[in-house]
Amino acid sequence: MISQRMGKRISQKGGIRQAYNEAQRQYEIYGKENVFDLSIGNPSVPAPDKVKETILKVLEDDFSHGYMSDAGYEDTRRKIAESLNRKYEETYTGDDIVMTNGAAGGINCTLCALLDPGDEVILFRPYYTAYEGFIENWGGKAVTVSPKGEEFLPDYEELEQRITQRTKVVIVNSPHNPSGTIYPKETAEKIARILEKKEQELGHEIYLLSDEPYRELVYDGTHLPWWPHEYRDTIVAYSFSKSLSLAGERIGYLLIPPHIGDAKNVMRAVRSSMGKIGYVNAPALFQKVAGDCVDETVDLKYYKKNRDLLYQTLKRFGFTAVYPRGAFYIFVKCPINEEEFLIRAQNRHFIFVGGSSFDYPGYVRLSFCCKQEVIERAVPAFELLARDCGLISG
Amino acid sequence: MISQRMGKRISQKGGIRQAYNEAQRQYEIYGKENVFDLSIGNPSVPAPDKVKETILKVLEDDFSHGYMSDAGYEDTRRKIAESLNRKYEETYTGDDIVMTNGAAGGINCTLCALLDPGDEVILFRPYYTAYEGFIENWGGKAVTVSPKGEEFLPDYEELEQRITQRTKVVIVNSPHNPSGTIYPKETAEKIARILEKKEQELGHEIYLLSDEPYRELVYDGTHLPWWPHEYRDTIVAYSFSKSLSLAGERIGYLLIPPHIGDAKNVMRAVRSSMGKIGYVNAPALFQKVAGDCVDETVDLKYYKKNRDLLYQTLKRFGFTAVYPRGAFYIFVKCPINEEEFLIRAQNRHFIFVGGSSFDYPGYVRLSFCCKQEVIERAVPAFELLARDCGLISG
């Protein structure tokens, strides 16, 4: 006798979960080395050495592992603010930072702080569908905006139409899961102007929540706009899952700039939500790691090499895909019906996640955060899959 | 422009938060050594050596820090099940365990899995009021039952009256925060018989959720009943915060025994709620610590010594308090009005938490998980406070 909420949820086909189960099934039958699991965004590049060094250093000093302030350790928050100030020429302080359980934790706290039942949150398709569950937690309603053009930039007219009196939050995610695209500065500016105009019209804040777990994963020197420079009412959710390969440790932060509308209450509400949601505080030891390793990243060249090989392979065999300038995903157009394409891919021992799992059917997401050998070994299988789908003859 | 939910929450006087702020204020004025902060349950006894040893061992093996199954690492869950089997002569497996972000995380997942809006959760006064926020997250309604007698055992008649068609969950917490009492076996049996009878009448499960962060903190050889032996539909929420002094690391687990009603769906719903609430998975490295240190505890003699000194001091100066057989709290009857008593205590540099913060005015909670010196230094101040309140003359 479980809740209707969860009854519905567990009866739905979960694309990523389904992919995980399919991978386990194939591992057993064919052996792990003969399966090309490109489904999950679990970094295979090891954490920078400084992560381990920091843990050892912290443990030497009789670290207490106890509770601290709901916002996290003061020194960690100060170090993060200082790092942002160096990067973006800002003047943040530790008081503008709340340490969270990854970006997912930060997004949940923000939505808990801002949403009344019936309030609307705008999502740009395709999107990470976990957002829907987070919005539902606080009685909010997800409202979606379609992309326009090959780079999956938003349809600005549709965005303007979708904003109502109940719009409280707009979630942006660039570098983007599942497509790897990065919004150029003009896109950020256009979104900002629309939101500013609507704030004026409606007489209340529309907060832009920038979900930035892939912020450091940018290739080819692409410029990544800093949202707080573009739009006043920006809250940033960051995660060290990808930049430091710490996905399982659940460590990230929220930046709540002091100049956003009603900033003091937003900060108090977000901090208080840490207890209400049962996070209590972000994990203690990894807060220390985050503070000391804030300017470190994993070996990005590894991901770039993966990206290049995977993208070139896809193009070579006739697939159509968005060129990813960031993150570690490629969004590939299905040459045939999505469901049928996923089955044919599975028959070639590929594990992909269907675009339906990102509210965007007709595509599949391929993750390239796997080991290089997986992509190298997969090249012949991509050729066979292309033949299976009639992209190349033979 | 924050949500009404959080607007209300941050405007309320939070007893524990208020106590924290008062402590900080007094530290600055009088110096830390002259303030007797008995407010917060933040263990001062260091973690067992094996915690550090486990971390070092795990890091030597190129630990990945990546995502794992939403329920946690298989080896950790197996070790926990085996430990429970040794202790309670049970036959649990790792499949019955979900690793959670402390007990708070486990309670939230359980309530998310079970509660539809309007469903009722029974709490025994006095109680840890964070439960109210957790219940509210899922649209549930807290229904309270009063204690009877000096040991704060539940009023069974009232319990029976309070159960309705909407009752889904009953939360028990023994050893108890804030009173340190332990339900004897007869109490557990009486509660179980009432719930069984009501399950029959209502035709649906009433889950007993046993919140057990203090399970290992039992003194004087007191017997602690194991709830799953007493009542079929028991779910256990455990935390390593107190047993291993890891409060800030947010590590605990849920035990969902396979014989409870609708066990498979409850397990699936709880696991799925890990993602929905944004926990994703319990922190990776400390799962490994929990698995390897599951049979370790901090030095319980330290807490017992603190308990004895504090209880004897209170009695000596005429205070009335419940004798705590577990946890690390003493619940003291206010000799005068609670608010006035808290002020007089503050004037003597004591920081307590008022009983109002546990839905039980007229008492204060004193925590004895502090350093021994704090209680030793506080003895003369207790005498002065007793005089201030007319408990002793002079």
Side-chain angles (χ1 to χ4, degrees), chain A residues 110 214 298:
Chain A
T110 305
Y214 306 101
V298 295

Side-chain angles (χ1 to χ4, degrees), chain A residues 177-305:
Chain A
N177 174 11
S179 75
T181 56
I182 289 176
Y183 284 176
K185 192 168 163 67
E186 312 87 79
T187 301
E189 282 169 354
K190 275 190 189 155
I191 292 173
R193 293 305 85 75
I194 292 168
L195 298 187
E196 282 164 3
K197 194 180 100 180
K198 287 289 177 180
E199 279 195 334
Q200 282 281 330
E201 275 175 38
L202 300 172
H204 67 71
E205 289 91 358
I206 301 174
Y207 294 100
L208 184 135
L209 176 54
S210 178
D211 177 22
E212 307 192 354
Y214 306 101
R215 187 168 70 210
E216 325 304 337
L217 277 62
V218 171
Y219 314 113
D220 318 320
T222 310
H223 172 73
L224 182 69
W226 173 240
W227 281 101
H229 283 171
E230 305 298 335
Y231 181 64
R232 189 194 69 160
D233 290 331
T234 295
I235 295 169
V236 175
Y238 186 79
S239 169
F240 294 95
S241 292
K242 278 74 183 183
S243 63
L244 298 179
S245 279
L246 295 177
E249 303 296 358
R250 315 310 304 136
I251 185 74
Y253 64 83
L254 282 172
L255 165 69
I256 301 174
H259 55 69
I260 68 167
D262 207 16
K264 275 196 183 155
N265 279 324
V266 173
M267 177 53 88
R268 287 175 69 201
V270 161
R271 289 179 59 158
S272 180
S273 76
M274 287 291 292
K276 183 166 169 60
I277 308 178
Y279 297 124
V280 183
N281 55 248
L285 180 60
F286 280 88
Q287 287 192 40
K288 295 291 180 186
V289 171
D292 275 17
C293 301
V294 63
D295 292 325
E296 300 282 318
T297 65
V298 295
D299 180 10
L300 299 178
K301 286 196 291 298
Y302 191 98
Y303 288 136
K304 188 186 174 303
K305 219 172 139 189

Side-chain angles (χ1 to χ4, degrees), chain A residues 1 3-5 9 42 65 67 101 112-113 115-116 136-137 248-249 262 268 272 276-277 279 281 284, chain B residues 1 3-5 9-10 42 65 67 101 112-113 115-116 136-137 248-249 262 272 276-277 279 281 284:
Chain A
M1 209 196 47
S3 62
Q4 290 176 26
R5 171 196 311 116
R9 186 175 161 101
N42 204 5
H65 303 287
Y67 295 122
N101 292 53
C112 174
L115 295 187
D116 279 311
E136 189 198 66
N137 287 342
E249 303 296 358
D262 207 16
R268 287 175 69 201
S272 180
K276 183 166 169 60
I277 308 178
Y279 297 124
N281 55 248
Chain B
M1 207 195 46
S3 61
Q4 289 176 28
R5 172 196 309 117
R9 188 175 159 100
I10 63 176
N42 203 5
H65 302 287
Y67 294 122
N101 293 50
C112 174
L115 295 187
D116 280 310
E136 188 198 67
N137 287 342
E249 304 295 356
D262 207 16
S272 179
K276 183 167 168 58
I277 308 178
Y279 297 124
N281 56 247

Side-chain angles (χ1 to χ4, degrees), chain B residues 27-171:
Chain B
Y27 287 163
E28 278 182 30
I29 303 174
Y30 308 113
K32 209 163 176 175
E33 67 289 357
N34 297 312
V35 179
F36 317 115
D37 183 3
L38 306 180
S39 64
I40 297 195
N42 203 5
S44 69
V45 178
D49 291 340
K50 199 172 174 184
V51 165
K52 189 171 164 181
E53 287 161 25
T54 305
I55 295 174
L56 298 181
K57 194 189 76 188
V58 170
L59 290 181
E60 260 177 33
D61 297 347
D62 286 330
F63 185 61
S64 100
H65 302 287
Y67 294 122
M68 81 299 305
S69 155
D70 47 14
Y73 291 115
E74 275 185 35
D75 64 327
T76 297
R77 293 155 64 206
R78 195 193 62 240
K79 287 173 190 171
I80 288 171
E82 287 167 357
S83 168
L84 292 173
N85 293 345
R86 282 191 298 274
K87 267 190 184 164
Y88 302 111
E89 299 182 359
E90 285 280 7
T91 55
Y92 303 125
T93 71
D95 291 342
D96 307 325
I97 304 288
V98 180
M99 300 306 298
T100 61
N101 293 50
I107 295 168
N108 258 288
C109 288
T110 306
L111 297 178
C112 174
L114 298 177
L115 295 187
D116 280 310
D119 281 347
E120 293 168 3
V121 178
I122 289 185
L123 303 174
F124 295 106
R125 298 177 57 228
Y127 57 87
Y128 174 54
T129 41
Y131 295 147
E132 292 173 355
F134 302 163
I135 294 165
E136 188 198 67
N137 287 342
W138 314 108
K141 194 184 147 199
V143 172
T144 64
V145 170
S146 306
K148 209 172 173 178
E150 286 179 2
E151 292 277 314
F152 287 92
L153 303 182
D155 181 329
Y156 305 110
E157 268 179 53
E158 196 179 320
L159 168 61
E160 209 165 330
Q161 287 160 10
R162 290 281 186 272
I163 295 171
T164 75
Q165 189 60 42
R166 299 305 304 265
T167 305
K168 278 269 187 78
V169 178
V170 174
I171 299 182

